[in-house]
Amino acid sequence: MCLPVLLAGGCVEKSESPATVADRPIAAFRTELLEAAFECATAIPLAPHVKDRARFQQQAFEVALELGQPARALAFAGQIPNWRQGLAYANYAYYCAERGVTNRVGDYLALADAAARTAEQDWRRERVAVRMAQTWELIGRNDEAAFLGKALNESERAQAELMNTRHCAEDEFDGFAAKLDGQLAIGGLDVLRGALSAYAALYERFYENAGRRAMIEEKIAGGWSKLPVIDRIDVLEKLAEVALQKEDRENAVRLVEQVAGLIAGAEWPAEYHAPLLARLATLRIECGQTETALVELRQARDVFNRGKREIIDIYRTEALIPVAEAYALAGDSTEARAIYALAVEEAVVNANARPRAEDLCQICLSMAKSQTEPTDALWTRIGRIKDELGAPW
């Protein structure tokens, strides 16, 4: 499958648009962590690990954008070696468009299109095309968005339409709901996930309408029977986050209890159970239930400690990071640093440098996001491991 040639490449002029998006001030240690994370990813050799290198470089790019560092993110994007560079440029264009900086959106989308065309598989090209279509839609270039959308498969088209859902007008609600119901009827995991994500976007868009809010919850509950439990948890978390954004603590708590019920009602391997408990604790903290959250975080630590030998070493850091982030959110920086330090030690259990680099990249990005400044000892340990990355990979 070939995507259509990018329409209307080049500048998208808008006289009132500022020329650039600027980095916002953040603590120096956070930018140092971002740079350390990108260095770890970039240390991974292109051959034979280009896919891993690009994936973790892209993660650093995304976190840089999340932390309001677009200039740094753009510099990262230029060093990503494969189709993921296209996804990064498309996301950068979207970031600019969201902020009304539209004068070079077309240029970045042209770069995204060029990089996407190097991909060997359709789904990779289509993932970039989704973001491109969403960006064109955001700046009112509907023809370009529709043109790209025609080339997408059903799963990716659902993702492209998610932006439309977020901007659904009052009189368009029934039409959008009917379209999503049709996708739920089609089935298939990707289509179901896309439809439920779109319903979650409608939930946010029409939150103040109690009738529509209740209807959407019913649609979601009726449409997720074919989804794994962990996907249902993902959807409920989105709804709870929306309720929190709308300052509806009572509804958020109700949804969080549903999350807790799904976690408690299933058997989980330790590598999934510990981070799920941490995600639940994070929601509790956001709901003002910090004491309950701390109990669940202790449970998460116990789950990890008891089941550590069952977890393949390359997955242990991923299990610990959400626990550290939740402790940081709870205001317990001492415990957060302790968990991060433990994650660093678990990262070096594997003798190969590639999983070490990947784990260290994720740890540094997580500390930057959670605003957890490493101790001098932890900085030294991270630096030593980073400097010693080398064969065998």
Side-chain angles (χ1 to χ4, degrees):
M1 191 277 294
C2 291
L3 292 175
V5 175
L6 178 69
L7 292 178
C11 294
V12 180
E13 297 295 345
K14 187 176 180 182
S15 59
E16 69 272 20
S17 170
T20 60
V21 283
D23 288 354
R24 66 178 177 84
I26 60 173
F29 79 86
R30 300 177 80 189
T31 61
E32 290 171 17
L33 285 166
L34 284 173
E35 292 292 343
F38 193 77
E39 288 172 12
C40 288
T42 305
I44 299 172
L46 287 170
H49 301 299
V50 62
K51 293 179 182 178
D52 298 299
R53 175 170 169 167
R55 180 160 56 94
F56 285 92
Q57 285 179 322
Q58 188 200 343
Q59 286 185 23
F61 163 87
E62 298 294 350
V63 174
L65 273 191
E66 182 181 339
L67 298 185
Q69 305 297 294
R72 180 170 279 102
L74 187 60
F76 288 171
Q79 300 177 62
I80 300 174
N82 62 6
W83 68 274
R84 288 184 181 276
Q85 183 181 81
L87 186 56
Y89 279 131
N91 283 337
Y92 182 82
Y94 186 86
Y95 181 94
C96 292
E98 276 192 310
R99 287 152 181 80
V101 183
T102 59
N103 55 305
R104 293 199 62 195
V105 163
D107 294 336
Y108 293 120
L109 290 181
L111 290 171
D113 182 64
R117 291 176 184 279
T118 67
E120 297 177 355
Q121 293 178 296
D122 287 348
W123 70 267
R124 291 169 176 163
R125 291 189 288 271
E126 290 180 350
R127 184 172 294 182
V128 179
V130 165
R131 202 51 159 169
M132 290 169 62
Q134 290 175 335
T135 305
W136 285 125
E137 180 73 28
L138 186 61
I139 64 174
R141 299 284 284 269
N142 297 329
D143 289 344
E144 284 89 341
F147 190 62
L148 282 170
K150 289 178 181 178
L152 303 177
N153 63 34
E154 287 184 345
S155 172
E156 299 297 343
R157 191 177 297 118
Q159 290 300 312
E161 290 173 352
L162 192 57
M163 174 52 59
N164 293 337
T165 305
R166 292 194 179 102
H167 296 277
C168 174
E170 288 283 345
D171 60 355
E172 295 175 330
F173 178 84
D174 291 340
F176 271 103
K179 184 184 296 185
L180 296 178
D181 287 346
Q183 292 174 0
L184 291 176
I186 290 172
L189 284 180
D190 287 340
V191 174
L192 286 174
R193 287 170 179 145
L196 291 176
S197 292
Y199 256 132
L202 281 180
Y203 190 78
E204 179 178 5
R205 172 70 181 83
F206 294 99
Y207 191 85
E208 285 73 18
N209 187 318
R212 286 180 175 175
R213 189 171 72 234
M215 187 209 79
I216 292 170
E217 287 194 29
E218 290 177 6
K219 294 284 189 181
I220 289 173
W224 70 12
S225 61
K226 296 179 182 178
L227 284 181
V229 174
I230 198 161
D231 286 313
R232 303 179 197 183
I233 291 171
D234 289 343
V235 174
L236 283 172
E237 283 183 333
K238 291 177 184 177
L239 300 187
E241 290 290 354
V242 169
L244 286 165
Q245 291 168 11
K246 301 296 184 178
E247 299 183 351
D248 188 350
R249 183 177 179 276
E250 181 179 354
N251 192 35
V253 169
R254 179 181 63 83
L255 292 164
V256 170
E257 291 302 332
Q258 292 183 43
V259 173
L262 288 177
I263 294 174
E267 293 292 329
W268 303 98
E271 67 188 89
Y272 293 105
H273 197 187
L276 279 173
L277 287 170
R279 287 164 58 181
L280 174 60
T282 297
L283 289 171
R284 298 275 197 203
I285 295 163
E286 292 172 343
C287 288
Q289 300 177 324
T290 303
E291 292 303 316
T292 303
L294 291 174
V295 171
E296 288 162 344
L297 287 175
R298 286 191 289 271
Q299 292 174 351
R301 294 190 66 175
D302 290 343
V303 165
F304 179 85
N305 290 333
R306 290 196 306 269
K308 185 172 78 168
R309 292 185 179 181
E310 302 169 8
I311 305 174
I312 298 173
D313 54 37
I314 60 174
Y315 300 128
R316 291 175 186 168
T317 290
E318 291 182 5
L320 287 169
I321 284 175
V323 181
E325 290 175 345
Y327 270 118
L329 185 62
D332 192 340
S333 57
T334 299
E335 200 63 45
R337 290 189 185 97
I339 300 295
Y340 280 125
L342 176 60
V344 167
E345 297 311 315
E346 292 295 344
V348 298
V349 170
N350 193 292
N352 295 310
R354 180 178 55 82
R356 292 185 178 198
E358 293 172 355
D359 283 352
L360 208 59
C361 175
Q362 292 181 88
I363 292 167
C364 289
L365 292 178
S366 176
M367 285 192 290
K369 288 194 297 181
S370 69
Q371 302 188 59
T372 303
E373 184 172 8
T375 62
D376 290 344
L378 187 53
W379 266 127
T380 299
R381 183 67 170 136
I382 289 170
R384 182 177 297 120
I385 295 169
K386 180 166 66 72
D387 292 343
E388 291 176 355
L389 291 173
W393 289 95

